[in-house]
Amino acid sequence: MVTLDLRHVASPAVRDLLHLVNHPDFDRAQQQIERLGGCIEPVRLTGHTTTVDATTGEVLRSYTASDEPTGSLLTTCGNRRASRCPACSRLYAADTYHLIRAGLSGGKTVPDTVRTHPRVFATLTAPSFGPVHNRPDARPCRCGTRHEPTDPLLGTPLNPATYDYAGAVLFNAHAGALWARFTTYLRREIATRLGITQKAARAVLRVSFAKVAEYQKRGLVHFHAVIRLDGPDGSTQPPPPYATVDVLTDAIRAAAPRARISVTSDAVGERELGWGQEFDVREIAAFGTDAEFSDQAVAAYVAKYPTKSADASGTLDRSLFCRPCQGRGATLLPHGTPLPCTACDGTGQARPLPRLGVARHVRQMIRTCWELGRLPEFADLKLWKWAHMLGFRGHFSTKSRSYSTTLGALRAARRAWHTEQAHAHAGLPQPDLDTTLVLGHWTYLGTGYSPGAALLAANVWSRRELERQFAAEEGCG
């Protein structure tokens, strides 16, 4: 028998890993970590479940988290941000892809006939709040320099002193409301082009959509959307023959400029927020083609933004305040340093803004959120809470009810599959939901791994990445 003197192992993570490997039930600990697929910051739960026969009350199975080697049940964090958890964000992107793809070519409870419905890919952008450094295709930037694609100046104001930071933050904060107003005008414009009333239009067709948000380098949000015309019952019915792609395209081009929101404040004056003049509408090509805007290409293009768009803007990937307080009771000092949060006895203290690891332009956007967030007229925008998102407080991925399946349905199907696999692996009969009842009680313990378990999780993620890369290369070959 070989005995290791752990005192001579320098790394605490390695010492913890050796303790874990020598645990009598290490195989179970490794199985839990493997099941998480490389999640970086899993949620730790404590509690129990009991499966009983609904008719007789007989206890069929029971599970207690305290029996686990780590003393808790580990579940994935589910974070969509690639900078926070690559494993969970990849899963989120895959679910978004299938959700978008199902609404274009069928599947996931959506009939295949949906591919014959008129559908377009539209992009709505933010307006200008001042000239910024850019990289035109055939000429230098206005500053006289031809910027490289990785130049950190790209997207930043040519003159920060005159840039409308208040307008930029307010646009981000109202972007979701602007989209809702756009969809209202879109339905009106479609009815006008068909020569019927809005009530009559609702009786013969429905507008379905799925959209995602993307941050531009200048820190402003714009939306990419798949917009489709259906019959009155949604994806199961085609729209009338006279509701064509041309009608949908013309209606989008007319509705976008009409969507406006007025903002009035003594501090910023009167503002009218709307979409930028640069917007794009493209017909999505028929199923099975190799066109640039095919079903598969659009779904893949859209799916990548919910996980990476916020990170690409160079902003922060988490709130400046802890989850319980979210900025309530914070005070901004004259030099821009927020005081510790009084709602949680100082545990929500934010870092001073000048020390945040972000570019000057992003820092000024955050500072503007602080300043506007103090005004009573903007209290409902919760700019303190969403300062790390430069004021944007909407969902990164949304869809209309009838577009296709839901992320919840996709996750439920995945959970059911994992449950079936677990029962099969353990040699247990599959549960009959009609005759069994599962009772449970769970309590949140915290997040993250022990140092040694974190090494195992990193290995799981690296191995699966290599397997994916190998599979992709084999597929290309």
Side-chain angles (χ1 to χ4, degrees):
M1 179 177 179
V2 179
T3 303
L4 293 177
D5 187 354
L6 300 181
R7 292 174 299 176
H8 297 292
V9 181
S11 170
V14 174
R15 287 201 299 270
D16 184 67
L17 177 60
L18 290 174
H19 280 300
L20 185 61
V21 169
N22 286 282
H23 192 282
D25 204 4
F26 167 72
D27 289 343
R28 172 55 187 167
Q30 188 176 31
Q31 182 184 28
Q32 269 212 84
I33 296 172
E34 186 79 27
R35 183 177 56 84
L36 298 178
C39 175
I40 288 179
E41 200 170 51
V43 178
R44 302 196 308 273
L45 302 173
T46 182
H48 60 86
T49 60
T50 303
T51 304
V52 300
D53 189 303
T55 303
T56 65
E58 177 188 0
V59 176
L60 303 177
R61 286 178 298 278
S62 62
Y63 170 82
T64 303
S66 59
D67 292 338
E68 296 287 354
T70 59
S72 62
L73 175 66
L74 300 179
T75 63
T76 55
C77 66
N79 200 305
R80 64 170 178 79
R81 291 178 178 271
S83 62
R84 294 287 296 276
C85 184
C88 289
S89 69
R90 182 183 289 277
L91 195 60
Y92 188 98
D95 285 346
T96 303
Y97 171 81
H98 288 294
L99 185 151
I100 299 293
R101 180 74 183 272
L104 291 172
S105 55
K108 313 294 183 183
T109 72
V110 180
D112 294 345
T113 53
V114 75
R115 65 185 61 161
T116 64
H117 296 196
R119 67 264 177 92
V120 299
F121 180 63
T123 299
L124 301 179
T125 63
S128 173
F129 295 100
V132 298
H133 293 275
N134 53 24
R135 187 172 54 90
D137 295 333
R139 51 191 172 84
C141 174
R142 296 185 188 182
C143 68
T145 303
R146 192 181 298 275
H147 297 289
E148 295 297 326
T150 57
D151 192 334
L153 282 177
L154 287 174
T156 63
L158 290 173
N159 186 357
T162 61
Y163 191 78
D164 185 9
Y165 279 101
V169 166
L170 290 174
F171 173 84
N172 279 350
H174 289 88
L178 268 175
W179 171 264
R181 192 155 298 186
F182 160 73
T183 58
T184 297
Y185 282 115
L186 175 59
R187 295 180 178 93
R188 294 178 183 176
E189 292 293 341
I190 291 175
T192 299
R193 278 152 181 74
L194 296 181
I196 58 179
T197 64
Q198 294 183 57
K199 181 178 180 180
R202 287 194 297 270
V204 297
L205 62 83
R206 173 180 293 190
V207 178
S208 300
F209 67 84
K211 72 168 178 66
V212 296
E214 178 195 5
Y215 274 88
Q216 298 172 305
K217 289 184 179 294
R218 54 186 177 143
L220 295 170
V221 169
H222 66 245
F223 292 135
H224 300 289
V226 173
I227 305 177
R228 190 185 68 214
L229 292 181
D230 299 327
D233 292 336
S235 61
T236 58
Q237 282 185 317
Y242 49 82
T244 63
V245 169
D246 290 338
V247 169
L248 178 58
T249 300
D250 290 343
I252 291 173
R253 295 188 180 278
R258 292 187 62 188
R260 316 289 292 181
I261 291 180
S262 297
V263 177
T264 303
S265 167
D266 292 338
V268 301
E270 294 185 3
R271 304 291 183 104
E272 190 174 63
L273 304 173
W275 301 110
Q277 295 182 353
E278 296 183 4
F279 61 90
D280 189 42
V281 185
R282 304 284 187 93
E283 180 180 1
I284 298 176
F287 176 79
T289 64
D290 295 328
E292 179 183 0
F293 288 90
S294 65
D295 294 2
Q296 183 174 353
V298 169
Y301 183 76
V302 170
K304 67 181 181 181
Y305 285 114
T307 61
K308 295 184 178 180
S309 63
D311 304 330
S313 69
T315 187
L316 303 172
D317 62 1
R318 64 191 71 201
S319 175
L320 292 170
F321 286 95
C322 68
R323 190 174 297 274
C325 71
Q326 296 292 6
R328 293 191 299 271
T331 304
L332 194 68
L333 297 178
H335 58 278
T337 303
L339 286 175
C341 174
T342 58
C344 58
D345 299 326
T347 59
Q349 183 174 3
R351 291 171 290 177
L353 297 185
R355 298 179 184 175
L356 295 177
V358 295
R360 176 183 176 185
H361 174 60
V362 173
R363 186 168 64 248
Q364 185 57 45
M365 292 278 284
I366 294 174
R367 192 187 303 277
T368 304
C369 288
W370 287 118
E371 295 169 352
L372 295 181
R374 299 177 63 185
L375 303 177
E377 57 266 37
F378 295 134
D380 61 326
L381 298 181
K382 300 181 180 179
L383 293 176
W384 278 347
K385 177 179 179 180
W386 299 106
H388 67 297
M389 298 302 297
L390 311 186
F392 178 63
R393 56 198 177 97
H395 294 287
F396 270 81
S397 175
T398 59
K399 73 175 192 66
S400 60
R401 182 173 300 176
S402 61
Y403 175 78
S404 69
T405 186
T406 64
L407 292 176
L410 293 174
R411 291 163 182 162
R414 185 163 51 248
R415 283 195 300 270
W417 183 85
H418 281 301
T419 300
E420 291 177 2
Q421 295 297 309
H423 279 78
H425 181 75
L428 299 172
Q430 298 297 334
D432 187 344
L433 299 181
D434 294 329
T435 60
T436 59
L437 181 65
V438 179
L439 304 175
H441 176 75
W442 294 97
T443 304
Y444 172 79
L445 277 181
T447 58
Y449 297 102
S450 67
L455 293 177
L456 292 178
N459 179 66
V460 170
W461 168 248
S462 299
R463 188 184 74 250
R464 295 197 176 189
E465 278 294 282
L466 289 175
E467 291 173 353
R468 273 189 284 265
Q469 293 174 10
F470 179 77
E473 292 173 359
E474 288 293 302
C476 292

